[in-house]
Amino acid sequence: MAELLLELLSEEIPARMQGRAADDLARLVTERLTAQRITFGRAEAFSTPRRLTLVIHDLAEAQPDRAEERRGPRVGAPEQALAGFLAANNADRSSLIERETPKGSFWFLDVFEAGRPTIEGLPELITGALADLPWPKSMRWGAHQIRWVRPLRSILCLFGGAVVPVRFGHLTAGNITQGHRFLAPATIEVHDFAGYRAALAGAHVVLDAAERRRKIASDAAALASDLGLMLRADEGLLEEVAGLVEWPTVLAGRIDDAFMDVPSEVLVSAMRTHQRYFVAEDARGRLAPVFVLVSNLAPDAEGAKVIVHGNERVLRARLADAKFFWDTDRQTRLDARLDRLQAILFQAKLGTVADKAGRIAALARQLAAHVPGADPALAERAGRLAKADLVTGMVGEFPEIQGIMGRYYATHDGESVEVAQAIGDHYAPVGASDGVPTAPLSVAVALADKLDTLAGFFAIDEKPTGSKDPYALRRAALGVLRILIETGVRLPLKAAISAAAEGYRPILGEIDTGRLHGDLMGFFADRLKVLMRDRGVRHDLIAATLAGVDDDDVVRLLARVRALQSFLDGEDGANLLAAYRRASNIVRIEEKKDGTTYGGDADAALLVEPEEVALHGALVQARADIAAALAGEEYERAMTALAGIRVPVDAFFDRVTVNCDMPERRRNRLHLLSEIRAALEAVADFSKIEG
């Protein structure tokens, strides 16, 4: 057993690509080793801004020998068949062995293949893995033909301490690497992974991204604590910054007091999004005039002052712009900016942002009727102003805080608190971890914005395809579903889709709302399955409920699904599901055989066996109870009614022969089985339930 060490040294790899690339490298190499029957132990992948590293422990030094018996043609087969078998196996007649089998006498070859030394196959194996590494974006440089995410500078590859002569484009692997670009640029000779890792640490490179994250988090928290502050948790930024530095050093800078009256979201955006600084807070959770930066150097005290001063100067310039926009934007009311939205195109076929603002206003007014506590007039006002901050200087410079700035400017203009909040909330939720709007007016406007987008793009047949979703329609649909589920708002989606489509009539003319309903409801159903799967709700139960009822109220639909899941998790539900399948299969087979359908009710006068009489009575009562329970949205009660037929169903199948010799009685019993199916399908389409 030996160790394989592979390093790819390049120019800076984008932080967001590093972890995935390291995992892909490990996967591609280990898959190829497995395909070549080469055993190995643990594989570890590492990434820094300048390197991908893979180490595979306990790698076999050769493939195992392989002995194989290969059967050829039958003895006495045509000579041509035998010659073909020998040629395919590079053998001659003297190697053939005649053996008896249960199917007669056949010619066999006993083939022995000695295992190939691993080091002989590694160059081709690794080159293939490098060529197949799936970068999201890659490039060529100079006159070289290979592609990589950034110019590749060198390859280190060792197997058992010996250099593996991997060739990739113009590069040939060796046993040399480099440390930190500035702090330790000299070459380092490598013999094994332990020495490699230790040498890099001595050359100011922390190889493990997780170790860099821990160091940054710990040092930054300690630095903030020394200043009497706390660091705002930011896992996304921590992940990104760990991918920007090989030797993290944490420093703190100050924000000029003159900028502290600018909205905190602007300050945070300038620090976090534009400069990759961590945000500090005081004990009351208020933004502190301090930022924490991560340097890729190891400065002394004087050097640290220079770095901090430079970063303060850069931030000061950006915040000076922000303060200018903050002061200037407030001189013009949001409603005075609406005409300028005509200059911004929403989509070539769907008009301008001004058109969209008008549609959101009208739709929000209508949706407010379904949101308890939402004032229709205020919903219309908030919808009309929701996009007005797009033409402010602040949003032009900091687009990531659109909506938020609209809330500030609406408050400054004297708009009601509800309107300002709805403007600030209408994009939410943007990501899976974002909260949904909960204020009534905010819910109405956020739903209007998303439904308008969905209806418009589906109306012009611009739907997501595969992994491509350029207009973020999946996110919009998930946003609608999350708002409805988490607020409990009872919105008939088809009516809302029709209302949203109506807003496009002046631009698109006649719209096929039937097709739009079908496409969008199917799209919502797919997103609902994804959303609820992460919450422990089975996707097949959602499909069964959707197929069983024509219901576009998400809250009511999920109540049915949850009741159904609870029912099926119990013994009664599992047994009834089995009974449903048995009954359905019998009816389907007999219908095909007889060329007819057995969908009607059974004739009570033809029921003779006690078990079929009892089943019929139980079904009549259950169907009545189920209908009443569903009408009152009492889904647990509906499941209880279903459970009531379990015992008579079991007794019927145990003691009654469906396909008896009396045709009239046989047909009636098939109708009775059809009633079992109908009783269950009043709740959901049980044919779509798995397991």
Side-chain angles (χ1 to χ4, degrees):
M1 296 295 181
E3 173 188 274
L4 174 65
L5 174 61
L6 173 65
E7 182 206 65
L8 302 142
L9 186 69
S10 70
E11 298 300 322
E12 275 70 9
I13 305 168
R16 69 183 184 279
M17 300 182 188
Q18 294 168 17
R20 175 65 182 272
D23 291 342
D24 284 337
L25 179 63
R27 173 181 57 81
L28 290 169
V29 172
T30 55
E31 284 178 352
R32 284 165 166 78
L33 289 171
T34 301
Q36 293 193 17
R37 300 180 296 110
I38 302 173
T39 60
F40 56 89
R42 183 165 47 98
E44 294 180 280
F46 303 92
S47 64
T48 80
R50 297 182 63 216
R51 68 196 80 223
L52 298 180
T53 299
L54 171 66
V55 58
I56 300 179
H57 304 278
D58 300 326
L59 185 62
E61 298 189 38
Q63 295 172 312
D65 296 337
R66 180 165 61 178
E68 181 182 356
E69 180 186 72
R70 296 178 186 173
R71 192 178 78 173
R74 186 185 298 272
V75 174
E79 187 67 25
Q80 187 176 1
L82 187 59
F85 173 64
L86 291 171
N89 290 279
N90 195 25
D92 54 33
R93 280 181 171 275
S94 63
S95 304
L96 291 173
I97 302 171
E98 182 180 345
R99 290 185 181 138
E100 285 294 327
T101 76
K103 295 184 178 181
S105 295
F106 285 83
W107 292 113
F108 284 84
L109 284 175
D110 288 334
V111 179
F112 175 80
E113 183 180 327
R116 183 186 185 191
T118 299
I119 197 165
E120 291 182 8
L122 281 177
E124 180 182 357
L125 182 152
I126 292 172
T127 300
L130 300 185
D132 289 348
L133 198 68
W135 295 106
K137 291 184 179 180
S138 59
M139 62 181 289
R140 290 193 177 98
W141 62 99
H144 312 306
Q145 294 305 305
I146 58 173
R147 300 187 69 92
W148 203 248
V149 64
R150 293 291 185 270
L152 191 57
R153 295 309 183 197
S154 70
I155 302 173
L156 179 150
C157 191
L158 300 175
F159 178 60
V163 172
V164 181
V166 174
R167 287 190 60 85
F168 186 53
H170 60 290
L171 297 172
T172 301
N175 65 341
I176 300 297
T177 188
Q178 292 178 330
H180 191 284
R181 182 190 292 275
F182 305 114
L183 301 176
T187 58
I188 301 169
E189 187 173 325
V190 178
H191 302 287
D192 57 25
F193 177 66
Y196 166 81
R197 188 169 192 167
L200 285 183
H204 295 90
V205 175
V206 179
L207 181 64
D208 190 346
E211 186 179 341
R212 295 197 302 276
R213 286 194 297 272
R214 287 192 295 270
K215 178 174 172 53
I216 293 168
S218 175
D219 291 355
L223 181 57
S225 179
D226 289 344
L227 297 171
L229 302 171
M230 295 180 295
L231 209 64
R232 180 179 294 183
D234 196 333
E235 287 298 322
L237 182 59
L238 180 61
E239 181 82 22
E240 182 179 8
V241 172
L244 297 176
V245 295
E246 289 194 318
W247 191 254
T249 301
V250 174
L251 303 169
R254 291 196 62 82
I255 305 170
D256 288 355
D257 291 339
F259 302 126
M260 293 306 293
D261 65 339
V262 175
S264 62
E265 292 88 348
V266 178
L267 301 179
V268 171
S269 179
M271 288 187 285
R272 183 193 184 283
T273 306
H274 295 262
Q275 300 301 129
R276 309 301 190 269
Y277 299 155
F278 290 93
V279 174
E281 299 174 334
D282 62 20
R284 296 172 61 183
R286 297 175 305 186
L287 188 68
V290 170
F291 64 88
V292 176
L293 66 97
V294 181
S295 170
N296 193 30
L297 298 172
D300 56 18
E302 195 59 37
K305 288 180 182 178
V306 172
I307 292 172
V308 169
H309 177 71
N311 280 272
E312 287 175 340
R313 186 172 65 249
V314 172
L315 182 61
R316 189 181 303 117
R318 185 165 289 281
L319 294 184
D321 289 342
K323 182 168 177 56
F324 170 79
F325 293 132
W326 171 240
D327 293 336
T328 304
D329 287 343
R330 288 180 294 167
Q331 296 174 18
T332 305
R333 292 178 56 85
L334 281 180
D335 51 15
R337 297 178 182 274
L338 293 176
D339 288 344
R340 292 175 56 191
L341 294 177
Q342 290 286 0
I344 305 176
L345 191 66
F346 173 54
Q347 202 274 347
K349 295 180 181 179
L350 302 179
T352 67
V353 175
D355 297 327
K356 181 173 179 63
R359 292 193 302 269
I360 294 174
L363 184 58
R365 185 181 187 96
Q366 296 180 65
L367 298 184
H370 299 278
V371 183
D375 182 287
L378 292 180
E380 181 177 5
R381 177 68 176 172
R384 194 168 301 281
L385 297 176
K387 304 296 181 182
D389 67 349
L390 294 178
V391 291
T392 62
M394 186 74 85
V395 172
E397 182 72 11
F398 300 93
E400 60 274 7
I401 53 175
Q402 57 189 272
I404 294 171
M405 292 314 302
R407 183 188 73 222
Y408 278 106
Y409 294 142
T411 301
H412 179 267
D413 293 347
E415 301 289 346
S416 69
V417 173
E418 297 92 337
V419 168
Q421 184 177 5
I423 293 171
D425 290 345
H426 84 278
Y427 289 106
V430 175
S433 60
D434 291 349
V436 303
T438 54
L441 212 64
S442 298
V443 169
V445 178
L447 287 172
D449 181 37
K450 293 166 180 60
L451 286 168
D452 172 80
T453 296
L454 288 163
F457 281 103
F458 270 70
I460 61 173
D461 206 28
E462 287 282 357
K463 307 168 190 172
T465 56
S467 61
K468 296 181 179 178
D469 186 11
Y471 303 110
L473 301 183
R474 293 188 180 99
R475 185 174 71 190
L478 283 171
V480 169
L481 292 171
R482 282 192 57 201
I483 290 171
L484 296 178
I485 293 168
E486 294 177 34
T487 64
V489 168
R490 310 293 296 273
L491 178 69
L493 272 176
K494 289 183 181 177
I497 292 168
S498 295
E502 189 66 28
Y504 284 99
R505 198 173 297 278
I507 297 174
L508 300 178
E510 195 64 32
I511 296 174
D512 185 349
T513 53
R515 179 188 66 81
L516 189 61
H517 283 163
D519 289 349
L520 263 178
M521 291 305 294
F523 189 65
F524 277 122
D526 290 341
R527 303 279 70 72
L528 184 63
K529 292 173 188 175
V530 172
L531 178 64
M532 299 312 295
R533 178 185 62 203
D534 297 335
R535 304 185 184 195
V537 178
R538 288 167 46 183
H539 69 90
D540 59 321
L541 301 189
I542 294 176
T545 306
L546 284 167
V549 296
D550 184 18
D551 195 346
D552 61 351
D553 181 331
V554 175
V555 175
R556 184 166 55 222
L557 182 74
L558 284 179
R560 292 177 75 122
V561 170
R562 290 191 174 99
L564 178 61
Q565 182 159 333
S566 177
F567 173 63
L568 291 173
D569 286 343
E571 184 181 357
D572 287 338
N575 286 341
L576 271 181
L577 178 59
Y580 169 87
R581 288 171 175 161
R582 184 176 179 183
S584 296
N585 287 336
I586 293 172
V587 172
R588 184 178 65 253
I589 291 168
E590 299 307 312
E591 284 178 339
K592 184 176 181 180
K593 183 192 301 181
D594 298 346
T596 187
T597 59
Y598 294 104
D601 293 338
D603 185 348
L606 297 175
L607 302 172
V608 293
E609 300 292 343
E611 292 79 12
E612 60 183 337
V613 173
L615 176 58
H616 180 262
L619 285 170
V620 170
Q621 184 62 51
R623 292 177 73 174
D625 291 345
I626 290 169
L630 294 179
E633 299 185 18
E634 298 175 90
Y635 302 115
E636 288 78 8
R637 179 183 156 203
M639 301 306 157
T640 300
L642 268 185
I645 68 172
R646 179 208 161 174
V647 172
V649 164
D650 289 346
F652 176 86
F653 279 124
D654 285 344
R655 300 185 182 91
V656 176
T657 301
V658 175
N659 287 316
C660 63
D661 295 334
M662 303 176 66
E664 191 175 45
R665 194 171 293 175
R666 169 182 171 272
R667 285 193 298 271
N668 200 52
R669 288 172 180 172
L670 288 171
H671 283 300
L672 193 58
L673 292 186
S674 184
E675 285 192 57
I676 297 174
R677 186 171 62 181
L680 272 71
E681 288 181 349
V683 172
D685 185 348
F686 275 62
S687 68
K688 295 188 178 298
I689 297 175
E690 301 172 0

